[in-house]
Amino acid sequence: VNAVGHYERALAAAEASAEQVRLKCLIGEAYVIVGDARALAYIEEAKTTLDPETRPAEFARATMIEGRFHHYHGRSGRAAELLLQAREPAERSGDIMLLAWIHAYLAGAYQHLIDFEESNRWTQKNVDLGEANSDPHIGSMGFEFLQENAFMQGYWRRSLEFAEQHRELGEKAHSSDRLAWNHVPVVCSNLGLGELTAAEAACNDGLEIADRLGDERLAGFLASWRALIVAELGRIDEAVPLADAAIERADDLGLKSGQLESRRVRACIAQLQDDHEAVLDFTGQIEKLLEGTDEAIHPVWMSPTRCQSLIAPGRLDEAVQRIEETLEKTRRADMPHWEGMALKARGQLHAARG
């Protein structure tokens, strides 16, 4: 966002139409990164002057940015529609890096719709595109979503294998961004495997890099996971203020995924404290944030935690419905870890009923 002032001054001085469009897209993209709704006005204004037939790369880029904005705000279905519109002119333009970003963002959109098969189909295109063009940066973009999809499904070791390939390509590309985001699967997969010392070390290292790069989105995720790791290590008194600070950080940034994940983590910590009221409070906040979105990951991820706390006060009918819905989703999306968590909640429900 610090760049916006510079771009706006340049826009005011620009006389050529092409330069004005370029600058409007840059301003829109800068706002998208921080979830600022002003992004849409700049992108839509830029698109009104762009003919996809004569200026395919610029039209594709503007449409891609518009799609990414919707994705950041939990509207991944709409994001996918726009990104698919952007793909054809991007292909026609011959700009392979632009095409790679569209593939990556499509993978991200379908990921958040828990259509991991479709997400992997798009991200594999970047693995193939990187190999075909001997471009390690594009190749690493492909492995980024392979590793993320694997840990989101609960395939921890597979995710770590992809993470190693992602890291190697990131190093070949000399990409600080690729190497920074490589910490995500390493942290989450080690946490899933119960390798808490390794998870904490990777999380602290990733936070240092994210803060150095000024990547607030990555830093926000890692700050939340650090709190959960600390809690799992038994340092609850230390974890609670870390988790509360992560929620505040996510709310300041205003991106939906960070707000959801920070509250899911806080609910998990409350569960470790056997504070069912707090669990229902934080998962209730998640449900409120999910209104008007098609975000599908967090309803699955938070459901077993909420169900266990519904059982404690005797809200069994609500728990039954939620457990069965979660089991259907996890089986359809091939999410075995989360299916197991839902089955555990079902077992607790049967025990509560006697």
Side-chain angles (χ1 to χ4, degrees):
V1 174
N2 292 336
V4 168
H6 169 74
Y7 293 147
E8 286 183 332
R9 288 190 294 273
L11 178 61
E15 296 182 1
S17 173
E19 180 64 5
Q20 291 173 357
V21 167
R22 186 184 74 85
L23 289 164
K24 286 174 184 175
C25 286
L26 286 171
I27 294 168
E29 189 168 26
Y31 278 135
V32 163
I33 292 169
V34 295
D36 193 314
R38 286 176 287 182
L40 281 183
Y42 282 97
I43 294 302
E44 289 170 356
E45 189 176 342
K47 285 179 69 175
T48 61
T49 62
L50 287 172
D51 182 345
E53 297 302 319
T54 59
R55 299 168 73 177
E58 292 162 288
F59 180 85
R61 181 176 175 79
T63 306
M64 176 190 75
I65 296 167
E66 184 182 3
R68 195 60 172 165
F69 175 84
H70 287 286
H71 175 71
Y72 279 164
H73 287 270
R75 299 184 290 272
S76 292
R78 177 57 179 154
E81 290 175 5
L82 288 162
L83 291 162
L84 288 169
Q85 291 173 24
R87 185 168 183 255
E88 188 277 329
E91 280 189 319
R92 200 155 29 85
S93 76
D95 187 333
I96 63 167
M97 183 54 73
L98 174 61
L99 186 62
W101 280 116
I102 291 169
H103 291 164
Y105 292 157
L106 276 164
Y110 285 110
Q111 176 191 87
H112 280 261
L113 296 170
I114 61 171
D115 188 344
F116 296 109
E117 183 177 355
E118 186 68 2
S119 178
N120 284 339
R121 188 175 75 84
W122 285 107
T123 204
Q124 184 63 43
K125 290 181 183 293
N126 275 350
V127 174
D128 297 341
L129 191 63
E131 289 179 357
N133 291 276
S134 300
D135 191 320
H137 190 273
I138 292 176
S140 71
M141 291 164 68
F143 280 104
E144 177 182 5
F145 287 96
L146 289 174
Q147 67 191 10
E148 287 187 7
N149 289 343
F151 83 71
M152 288 183 178
Q153 291 173 276
Y155 292 110
W156 316 119
R157 297 191 190 281
R158 184 188 301 173
S159 177
L160 289 172
E161 291 171 3
F162 286 139
E164 182 60 22
Q165 293 170 287
H166 176 264
R167 183 191 61 77
E168 290 174 1
L169 288 167
E171 287 181 346
K172 287 181 181 178
H174 305 290
S175 172
S176 298
D177 178 64
R178 297 293 93 208
L179 295 174
W181 279 88
N182 197 70
H183 289 79
V184 170
V186 175
V187 170
C188 292
S189 295
N190 276 299
L191 181 57
L193 289 166
E195 300 290 346
L196 300 179
T197 301
E200 184 175 33
C203 196
N204 289 336
D205 184 50
L207 269 169
E208 181 183 343
I209 295 171
D211 287 338
R212 186 169 70 245
L213 294 176
D215 191 331
E216 285 294 324
R217 192 163 68 97
L218 175 59
F221 286 132
L222 291 171
S224 291
W225 296 331
R226 179 186 176 199
L228 183 55
I229 293 164
V230 167
E232 293 281 2
L233 286 165
R235 293 157 23 213
I236 296 289
D237 290 345
E238 181 184 346
V240 170
L242 288 174
D244 289 341
I247 289 175
E248 184 177 352
R249 183 174 194 164
D251 287 346
D252 286 344
L253 188 56
L255 297 179
K256 190 74 72 175
S257 57
Q259 293 175 306
L260 293 167
E261 183 62 2
S262 61
R263 285 165 172 82
R264 185 189 73 86
V265 163
R266 186 64 181 84
C268 290
I269 294 171
Q271 186 178 58
L272 291 172
Q273 298 173 294
D274 290 323
D275 187 345
H276 299 296
E277 184 177 345
V279 170
L280 295 176
D281 178 23
F282 286 111
T283 55
Q285 291 179 38
I286 290 172
E287 292 187 327
K288 187 71 175 175
L289 285 164
L290 286 168
E291 292 177 3
T293 78
D294 53 18
E295 161 67 35
I297 290 174
H298 279 90
V300 170
W301 278 7
M302 70 99 170
S303 181
T305 304
R306 183 170 177 84
C307 286
Q308 290 173 51
S309 288
L310 288 170
I311 293 166
R315 294 165 60 179
L316 303 186
D317 289 342
E318 184 181 346
V320 168
Q321 181 180 351
R322 187 178 293 274
I323 289 168
E324 297 310 312
E325 288 174 353
T326 302
L327 284 170
E328 188 278 325
K329 290 176 182 177
T330 56
R331 288 165 179 166
R332 174 169 47 83
D334 186 22
M335 302 173 74
H337 173 76
W338 303 101
E339 180 185 354
M341 294 293 289
L343 288 170
K344 177 183 176 182
R346 181 197 265 175
Q348 292 171 324
L349 175 65
H350 289 326
R353 283 180 161 171

